[in-house]
Amino acid sequence: MQKTILIIDDDTALRETLAKGLRGEGFAVVGAENAEHAFQILDKMTFDAIVLDRMMPGTDGLTALGHMRARGMDTPVIMLTALGGTENTVAGLSGGADDYLAKPFSLKELSLRLSAVTRRKGVAAPAMPKGLSIENGEFFIKNQLLELSAAEKEFLLQLVSPVGNHAAAPPMVAKRLREKLLAPLPGLDIITVRGKGYKLVTGGSCG
C-alpha cells in the first residue's frame, strides 16, 4: 500500500524537490509551506509520516511538533534541520520526533528513514529504562544529572532512540558509558550485537 507523506517546509524549492523525489520512490506526497498551513491540512487528512523542517518563520518546527503531540497525534515525524550536534538531536527527539536528519542529506537517506518509521507506526517505542530519564537535553539517573562527554551522550541517545536502538561507538566510549550506568543502575548493561553494534539491555554482559 502506498504511504502518504506530509512535507512541512517553508523553502518552496526544497519542498518541491523532495516531493518530486519521494513520489519517484513510491510515496504519495502533500506539501505545506508552514506550520499553520500544515494544521489546516491535518484537520482534513491523515498521513503515514510527516517530514518537518525545524527552522521556519512563524511557528517553528519544534513548537509545531509539540502541538501535534499535545493533540494526541502519533504520526511518525522526521525532523529536518540545519542545526547539527548532539544537543539539537536530543531536543528534537525528546520533543517528540521519531527521527532527526541534519541538512544536507540525500533523498535516498530520507526515503529509507521514511520507510523505517512507517514500518514502525503503531509499534510502541522502547521505554526509557527505569531510573533513567531525559530532560532539556540532559540525561538523569534517579533525578541526578549523569555527567557525560559529548560522545557518550550521543551514544546513549542512539541506544534509547525510538527508531532502532542499536548504536555504533568506539569500544572505549561504550566501556565508559557502561561503567557510568552500571554503578547506579546495576540492572542495565550494554551488550555487543554482532553486525549491529551495541544495545542497551536489562542484565547480560558487554562483549
Side-chain angles (χ1 to χ4, degrees), residues 12-47:
T12 301
L14 176 59
R15 188 175 67 248
E16 293 179 351
T17 297
L18 291 179
K20 181 179 179 180
L22 290 176
R23 289 184 185 116
E25 294 287 328
F27 295 97
V29 182
V30 175
E33 61 188 16
N34 53 43
E36 289 72 22
H37 184 202
F39 279 112
Q40 292 174 10
I41 296 171
L42 288 167
D43 284 338
K44 302 172 183 177
M45 297 178 64
T46 58
F47 294 87

Side-chain angles (χ1 to χ4, degrees), residues 60-144:
D60 66 87
L62 201 56
T63 301
L65 178 57
H67 291 331
M68 292 178 194
R69 297 311 187 213
R71 291 168 59 168
M73 193 180 300
D74 63 355
T75 307
V77 173
I78 296 179
M79 183 166 283
L80 304 181
T81 183
L83 301 173
T86 301
E87 291 184 2
N88 289 305
T89 304
V90 170
L93 294 176
S94 61
D98 295 86
D99 204 352
Y100 196 91
L101 190 55
K103 299 175 182 179
F105 56 87
S106 70
L107 177 66
K108 190 63 179 178
E109 182 177 10
L110 176 60
S111 176
L112 290 172
R113 290 183 184 230
L114 281 169
S115 296
V117 297
T118 53
R119 280 198 305 269
R120 295 178 63 88
K121 185 177 181 181
V123 178
M128 189 74 75
K130 187 176 181 180
L132 182 67
S133 61
I134 184 171
E135 183 177 344
N136 296 325
E138 298 290 347
F139 284 97
F140 294 82
I141 290 182
K142 300 174 183 177
N143 298 320
Q144 295 295 315

